[in-house]
Amino acid sequence: MTMTDPVRHPNGLTVLEAIFWSNCPSRYDLVTRTRFSKSKVGSIVGDLIDEELIEEGSVQDSSGGRRPTGLQLHRNLGYAIGIDLGVTSVTVTVSDVNFQVVASSTTETDVRVGPGPVLAIISRSIDQLLKEQTIRRSQILGIGMGVPGPVEFHTGLLINPPLMPNWEGFNLREYFAESHSAPVFVDNDVNVMALGELHHRRSNGDSDGNENMIVVNLGTGIGAGIIVRGEVYRGADGAAGDIGHVSIDPQGPRCHCGNTGCIEALAGAPNIVREAVAAAEQGISTILQDLVSTKGQLTLSDVSLAARQGDPAANHVIQTAGSRVGQVLASLVNFFNPSHLLLDGPVAYMGPLMLASIRQSVYARSLPLSTRKLHIDYTQLGTRSGARGSTALAIHQALKQRLSQ
Amino acid sequence: MTMTDPVRHPNGLTVLEAIFWSNCPSRYDLVTRTRFSKSKVGSIVGDLIDEELIEEGSVQDSSGGRRPTGLQLHRNLGYAIGIDLGVTSVTVTVSDVNFQVVASSTTETDVRVGPGPVLAIISRSIDQLLKEQTIRRSQILGIGMGVPGPVEFHTGLLINPPLMPNWEGFNLREYFAESHSAPVFVDNDVNVMALGELHHRRSNGDSDGNENMIVVNLGTGIGAGIIVRGEVYRGADGAAGDIGHVSIDPQGPRCHCGNTGCIEALAGAPNIVREAVAAAEQGISTILQDLVSTKGQLTLSDVSLAARQGDPAANHVIQTAGSRVGQVLASLVNFFNPSHLLLDGPVAYMGPLMLASIRQSVYARSLPLSTRKLHIDYTQLGTRSGARGSTALAIHQALKQRLSQ
C-alpha cells in the first residue's frame, strides 16, 4: 500500500475524514461537507482512489448486479479491532474499515484483578476472532481500546484509575506492540462511548457534527464523555468527564476516593443494590425479601424487576438514584448548555422510571434557557456504543497517523 | 479601502487571525503559528499589506528614528468601540485595532431600569469620546458589547436575562445600527471577560491558544466564561457558563430564579452584604456595627475592610462565601478538567482570604488528577478584562465578517 504524500495532499485528510464520518457520501456530498470546490474534491478523490485509501462503494441490487452508492474507505485498509473494557466484562470486536462487524466476543472478567489476567483474556479473544475469520495480523489497520479509568491520551497511560489501582502507569501500547504492528489507541471508556454515539449519529445524518453532547455512563462507576464541536473533549489532563466524585451530600456515605457523598457512592450500581437489600432486610418489601431469600443476593435486574411489579420500595430506590443523578447533571446542563444529554450503562437501563426520574430532576433544577433545546434520552446505540466507539477510535486515529507520516 | 477577495485569499483570514492573536509577529512567527510554508506566508502577507489590512509595525528607537518590529493590523482599519455593561455601571472604550486604548469612560447606571436610559448613557459616552478624539463614525471598524445576561450570539438578542427583565428580546444591533454603520456584536459579559483575558494571555505569549479555561465572575450575579481550545464556548443556546443558579442547598434561601439555595443567592454580593448586616444587628461584630451606624448601610468594601482589621464575623462571612463558590467550582473542575480557573469581579477582589477560601474548597473536593495542572488565580487583566474583551470581540468579529464577504 502506498503512503499518501502530505505535500501532494494538504487537504487529503480533510476529505478522508469527511468520508470516515459519513455513510458512503457522493462527490457532491463531499463538496458540501468540506466546502472545497467541485474540481478540488474531484482531484483529491482521484488521488485517494489511486492510492487505495478510498474506493467506490457498491450494493447488490435486486437483479444480482452491483450499483455504485458513493465513496467509502478502501477495503485494502484492512480491519479494526475495538476493545471495550468495562469493570466486569470485556468485548472485543473485529470490523472492516466501514464499520461492518465481522466478529465479536464478550467475556466476563474483573479489571480489579490487574492487567495480567485481563490482558491475557483480551489477547486470546483477538487471536481467536482473527483465526476464525482468517484475518492476518498484518491486515489490522489499528487497535482502539476503552478502559474504565482516566487516560493520558497522547501516551495511552492510565493515571490514578480509582477502579483499576493495579493498572496505574501500565503501558497498554507497549503490551500490544509485542504481538501487533498496528498502532494502538487508548481512551477512557466513556469518551469512547461518546465517540461511538457521535459516529453513529453523524454517519446516519442525525448530527451535523457541531453538537455539544454529554454521554453519561451509569454503572459501577459514573462518568461522562463530552463532545465539543464534534470532537471528544478530554480536558487538561485527560480527566474531563470524571463526574463520579462530585459530592452532593457532605453528610453522605464515604466514597472509595476518600470524600463523602460522591454521586458514584450514592447512585452507582453497588449502592442501588445495597439500598434494595436494606429494604428487604427491613421488611419493607416482600418482593425484594423473597428474591434475597431465594437467591441469597440481589442484582440490578432484580431491583428493576421488583419495580416493574409495582414494588414501592424498589421504585423508591430507583427514583432516589435518578433524582441524585439529575442533581449532578442539572449543574452540568447549566454550565455546559449541551444539546444532548445521553444516558448509557446498566443503571440507566434499569427501566423507564430511571429515565423519567433523571429527566424530572434535571428539568426542575436547570434554567429554562439551558433546557430549551435539550434532549435527554438513551444513546441510540445502547450497549453497543463502546464497541462502535473503540472501533471508530482505531480507524480514525490510524488514518490520521498514516496521513501525517 | 479594498475588500479582500476570499478566492484569492483562502488562507488570508488564517494569517490575519494569527496577527490578531499575537503582538506584532514577524513573518517567521507566522510560519510557526499557521504552519504554512515560508513562501505562502510571504505571498499572503504581501497581499494583505497591499490591501491595507496589515502593515509593518514600528517603534521609535532612542536615536529618534523608527525601526520595524513585526506585522500588525493596519491603522486604516480604524477604531473599535468596546462596551462593558455591568449590572451597576458601564464602561465604554475606544481603541485602535492594535488594542491601544485612546479614550475610555465609566458611568454608574443600573441595567434593571431597562434599555432606554442605559442605552442613552452609552450613546452619549460614545459620541463624547469620539468627539474628544476627533474620530468620525465612518472610522469605526466594529462595536463589541458585553451584557450581564444570556445572549443568542448569532442574533445578538438577550434571552430570558434574569437580572435584565426589561431587556428580553431587545435588539441591540438594530439600536446601534440607527446611528452607526459599523457591525455590532453582543455577547454575555463573562464570555467577553474570558475573551479579553485569552487575548491578553495569547498576545503576551502566556498561552498557546489551546488551553481550556474557566473565567468566573463573582459580583451581583455569578457566571462563568468558558474557553475551549482557544475559542469562547457558548453551548447550544448561548447559555453555557450560567452557573449562578446551581443549587448547593435545597434548604437554602429562595433565589429570584424561583429555585432555592442557588449559589448566586448564597454567595452573590447582595447576600454577602446581607450576612454582614445580620452579624452587625446580632451584635457579633463591633466593627461592622460601627460601620452600619455611621453609614446606615454596608458595602462589599466595608466587609473587606472589617475582615482585614481582623473582625471574626467579617472573616466568617467571606470564608463561607468562598467555600460555597468552591463547592460549585469543584464540580466543574471534575467535569471540565480546565488548566486555568480565573476569578474576576468585585466579590473575588474582596481580598486574599476570599481567594484562599475558594482555592481550599476546590482542592478539597476535586480529584487529584483534575487539579494536577490546575491554576486557580485572579485574571491577569483584573477589572480591565471586560473592556479588553469587548474590544477584542469588535475587532475579531469585524475582521472575520469583512473577509467572508
Side-chain angles (χ1 to χ4, degrees), chain A residues 258-305:
Chain A
N259 271 337
T260 52
C262 296
I263 182 65
E264 187 165 301
L266 283 162
N271 199 55
I272 291 176
V273 170
R274 208 174 295 126
E275 290 187 356
V277 169
E281 284 170 354
Q282 288 157 26
I284 307 172
S285 156
T286 43
I287 298 181
L288 290 173
Q289 224 168 350
D290 289 352
L291 283 164
V292 173
S293 56
T294 317
K295 306 177 57 181
Q297 56 178 11
L298 285 182
T299 62
L300 275 186
S301 314
D302 296 328
V303 184
S304 303
L305 184 72

Side-chain angles (χ1 to χ4, degrees), chain A residues 150-152 154 159-160 162 212-214 224 226-229 231-243 245-247 250 257 259 327 330-339 364-374, chain B residues 150-152 154 159-160 162 212-214 224 226-229 231-243 245-247 250 257 259 327 330-339 364-374:
Chain A
V151 175
E152 197 172 61
H154 67 277
I159 312 284
N160 280 333
N212 304 305
M213 309 192 323
I214 304 179
I226 308 167
I227 303 289
V228 175
R229 302 179 196 121
E231 272 186 58
V232 174
Y233 172 84
R234 297 187 178 88
D237 311 275
D242 222 337
I243 59 170
H245 303 281
V246 170
S247 173
C257 77
N259 271 337
Q327 188 177 337
S331 304
L332 304 185
V333 165
N334 283 342
F335 173 72
F336 190 68
N337 186 205
S339 55
R365 295 159 190 275
S366 304
L367 290 177
L369 177 59
S370 306
T371 52
R372 204 166 54 154
K373 295 179 194 153
L374 179 66
Chain B
V151 174
E152 198 174 59
H154 66 278
I159 312 285
N160 279 334
N212 304 304
M213 309 193 322
I214 305 179
I226 308 167
I227 302 289
V228 176
R229 301 180 196 122
E231 273 185 58
V232 174
Y233 172 84
R234 297 188 177 87
D237 311 274
D242 222 338
I243 59 169
H245 303 282
V246 169
S247 173
C257 77
N259 270 338
Q327 188 177 337
S331 303
L332 304 185
V333 165
N334 283 343
F335 173 72
F336 189 69
N337 187 205
S339 55
R365 294 157 190 276
S366 304
L367 290 177
L369 177 59
S370 306
T371 53
R372 205 167 53 155
K373 293 178 195 154
L374 179 65

